[in-house]
Amino acid sequence: MPYHVEIRTVPPQHVVSIRTQCHVAELGAALSEILPEVWRYIRKSGVAPSGPPFTRYHGFDADRVDIEGGLPVPSPLPGEGRIVAGTLPGGPVATTVHLGPYDRLPDAHDALHVWLEEHAKNSAGPQWELYWTDPGLEPDPNKWKTELMWPIESA
């Protein structure tokens, strides 16, 4: 799939999330546990998410990934247990959209990384994915829409 990359400025977003480390092969299972837990906390708090679920990638090594999964909220929540309050950063991001199953997301990440190198853009922090399609509501993975966001240094 060809990927169109653009730069835009996004506002900071309050979030509640869970951060964990897992093997790369366990990423889907980890998120299947984390995101519903965060969703239940938000519902119990009496607020609605202010955007789609996300996963932020804090680090990778040979076979493990340091991830944060959560949801944006309209104002800070205190957190509870392993659920913590935080912020997705505002500022310039390089972004692209992936349409299709999650197992093809590495192609989108690779395309975004190549674009950043070709355009001499420097990373300004961990990248994240926004999941615009709920697989529970849309069973066809070819219709799933995921947006990749990579913070970059200001020009």
Side-chain angles (χ1 to χ4, degrees):
M1 163 177 187
Y3 293 98
H4 170 74
V5 177
E6 66 180 35
I7 295 176
R8 69 173 195 258
T9 301
V10 297
Q13 288 186 301
H14 298 290
V15 299
V16 287
S17 62
I18 296 172
R19 187 169 173 178
T20 190
Q21 293 185 7
C22 64
H23 289 280
V24 173
E26 299 167 345
L27 182 59
L31 291 171
S32 294
E33 178 185 322
I34 288 171
L35 294 175
E37 184 177 340
V38 174
W39 181 262
R40 286 188 299 273
Y41 167 74
I42 290 174
R43 289 184 64 188
K44 184 176 85 173
S45 299
V47 299
S50 58
F54 72 90
T55 300
R56 184 163 33 174
Y57 295 90
H58 291 278
F60 294 89
D61 66 23
D63 66 342
R64 293 188 65 78
V65 59
D66 179 356
I67 60 167
E68 172 188 4
L71 286 152
V73 289
S75 58
L77 291 174
E80 177 179 279
R82 68 183 190 148
I83 299 171
V84 298
T87 306
L88 286 177
V93 297
T95 182
T96 193
V97 172
H98 170 77
L99 296 174
Y102 297 143
D103 65 353
R104 301 300 303 182
L105 275 167
D107 295 342
H109 284 278
D110 291 345
L112 189 54
H113 187 266
V114 166
W115 188 93
L116 290 171
E117 286 183 351
E118 289 176 349
H119 292 83
K121 301 294 182 184
N122 295 317
S123 173
Q127 59 190 316
W128 66 90
E129 299 166 348
L130 300 173
Y131 306 109
W132 290 99
T133 308
D134 181 345
L137 300 176
E138 175 51 71
D140 182 354
N142 292 310
K143 296 180 180 178
W144 296 350
K145 179 181 174 183
T146 306
E147 188 174 9
L148 284 66
M149 311 288 275
W150 197 328
I152 57 174
E153 292 179 353
S154 297

